[in-house]
Amino acid sequence: MTMPEPRLTSLAHGGGCGCKLAPAVLRDILKGMPAAAPFANLMVGIETSDDAAVWRLNDQQALVATTDFFMPVVDDPFHFGQIAATNALSDVYAMGGTPIFALAIVGMPVNVLSTKTIGRILEGGASVCAAAGIPVAGGHSIDSVEPIYGLVALGLVHPDHVLTNRGARAGDVLILTKALGVGVLSAAFKQARLDAAGYAALIASTTQLNAVGAKLAGMAGVQAVTDVTGFGLLGHALEMARGAGLTVELTAAPPLLAEVEALAVDGVRTGASGRNWASYGAGIDLPAGIEDWRRDLLTDPQTSGGLLIAVAADKAEAVLALVREAGFSRAAAVGRVVEGPPRVRVVA
């Protein structure tokens, strides 16, 4: 008699972008790295914690290169593959790039999971790449204690149109393309507290490609872009503030996915939310009396989250319209960039 396979999420100590090292831990690790030699063609490296590396190929093309992988955030293997691939491609789009091909990163407990299950994970990832118009052209696989899947993603962008997280200017409006709450929904799923509608919202958000990022490249008024993933909205906004040397103001009530507020009020959290706050809370100013659950939603890790776009105020409506026409119906202005020290200020 064949024994049933375990739930994918039961095989991992964490899931999705909640697996990322806490910002403070990552900074501590990287501070000991020797400074890289200067390379004239390296347009974007690790200096401002941007979403991908960018290498100038010639006057018309720059290569965008990134990698992203994690443990399961859901149990359905096809959905897991879709989410991981969508998340990896997001970094290319966040730089204004258009993906050209991907390589698969596969680590699986082959004595625990069937080849059918593992195959479905890869099929899910390949389906997203097909939707993005690119092939999975190769990759690497290992026998791993925990299931891991993701991509190396490569893309192209014009060197003059590279989008980074450091170009925001005072007066810019901040637009967020996806509603928040993926971490809360994934935690509720693991606790068997997520209903069918909540699960549908989780999958719909995490498998929506941020392809609109390629359309933002070279668009008038778009100053800076980053995708909101494992460090939460506050963490990635803080990176944007530090990159620009300015203050970012954010609303305390950004758009939320279905059921997220009720679950958060009821105490559903991810461990990464608390780790995020412990790592960068010193750089955040909160309004007096803000509820803990609302603060935790602002640090909630977003697996395959939306784009955070800094755009000149007179172009904000045009950019917001473009984003909504691209299928991001919950896109909204969530803050602005102002003069001041590189911090994030949350306003009621």
Side-chain angles (χ1 to χ4, degrees):
M1 179 178 177
T2 303
M3 295 294 291
E5 291 188 29
R7 295 174 57 187
L8 283 179
T9 54
S10 73
L11 299 174
H13 75 280
C17 285
C19 296
K20 293 177 72 170
L21 293 177
V25 175
L26 184 59
R27 286 196 303 271
D28 192 47
I29 292 171
L30 294 179
K31 71 181 181 182
M33 289 186 62
F39 292 91
N41 290 324
L42 183 61
M43 300 180 65
V44 180
I46 65 172
E47 295 76 19
T48 58
S49 303
D50 222 319
D51 298 299
V54 181
W55 183 273
R56 182 191 299 271
L57 297 174
N58 51 55
D59 290 342
Q60 300 298 316
Q61 295 176 312
L63 180 69
V64 183
T66 185
T67 183
D68 216 312
F69 51 89
F70 46 62
M71 282 85 82
V73 67
V74 293
D75 290 323
D76 183 286
F78 191 81
H79 285 163
F80 171 38
Q82 286 184 305
I83 294 167
T86 305
N87 180 73
L89 293 178
S90 181
D91 286 339
V92 174
Y93 293 128
M95 308 301 294
T98 298
I100 52 175
F101 72 89
L103 306 174
I105 299 170
V106 184
M108 294 291 156
V110 294
N111 61 332
V112 176
L113 295 177
S114 68
T115 55
K116 179 180 179 182
T117 295
I118 297 171
R120 287 292 286 167
I121 295 171
L122 272 61
E123 288 171 18
S127 74
V128 165
C129 290
I134 64 170
V136 179
H140 185 65
S141 60
I142 62 169
D143 185 359
S144 172
V145 175
E146 297 182 89
I148 297 170
Y149 177 71
L151 300 176
V152 173
L154 301 173
L156 294 174
V157 64
H158 193 287
D160 295 338
H161 298 160
V162 175
L163 300 173
T164 72
N165 65 359
R166 62 178 183 263
R169 302 175 185 174
D172 285 353
V173 173
L174 293 173
I175 293 172
L176 181 64
T177 63
K178 292 184 182 182
L180 300 179
V182 169
V184 167
L185 293 181
S186 64
F189 173 79
K190 290 181 180 179
Q191 297 171 22
R193 297 174 64 179
L194 190 64
D195 62 18
Y199 185 80
L202 172 65
I203 299 303
S205 179
T206 55
T207 60
Q208 184 177 19
L209 283 165
N210 282 322
V212 70
K215 296 181 180 180
L216 298 174
M219 188 173 181
V222 176
Q223 319 280 28
V225 177
T226 191
D227 63 344
V228 178
T229 54
F231 299 158
L233 179 59
L234 287 182
H236 292 286
L238 183 58
E239 290 177 340
M240 188 176 280
R242 288 170 172 166
L246 296 166
T247 295
V248 164
E249 288 188 345
L250 291 176
T251 175
L256 300 177
L257 293 167
E259 304 186 14
V260 165
E261 182 170 335
L263 288 166
V265 170
D266 202 31
V268 178
R269 303 285 191 280
T270 67
S273 180
R275 291 193 297 273
N276 281 342
W277 178 253
S279 292
Y280 57 66
I284 312 296
D285 298 318
L286 296 176
I290 187 173
E291 303 96 327
D292 288 346
W293 66 265
R294 196 176 292 280
R295 182 203 68 188
D296 290 345
L297 283 178
L298 295 174
T299 63
D300 187 56
Q302 302 303 289
T303 301
S304 192
L307 299 178
L308 184 62
I309 307 163
V311 56
D314 62 341
K315 304 296 183 182
E317 286 300 322
V319 170
L320 189 56
L322 172 71
V323 170
R324 287 175 175 168
E325 288 169 7
F328 297 87
S329 61
R330 301 294 306 282
V334 296
R336 61 179 184 152
V337 182
V338 298
E339 296 288 351
R343 297 178 61 81
V344 173
R345 180 186 306 131
V346 179
V347 296

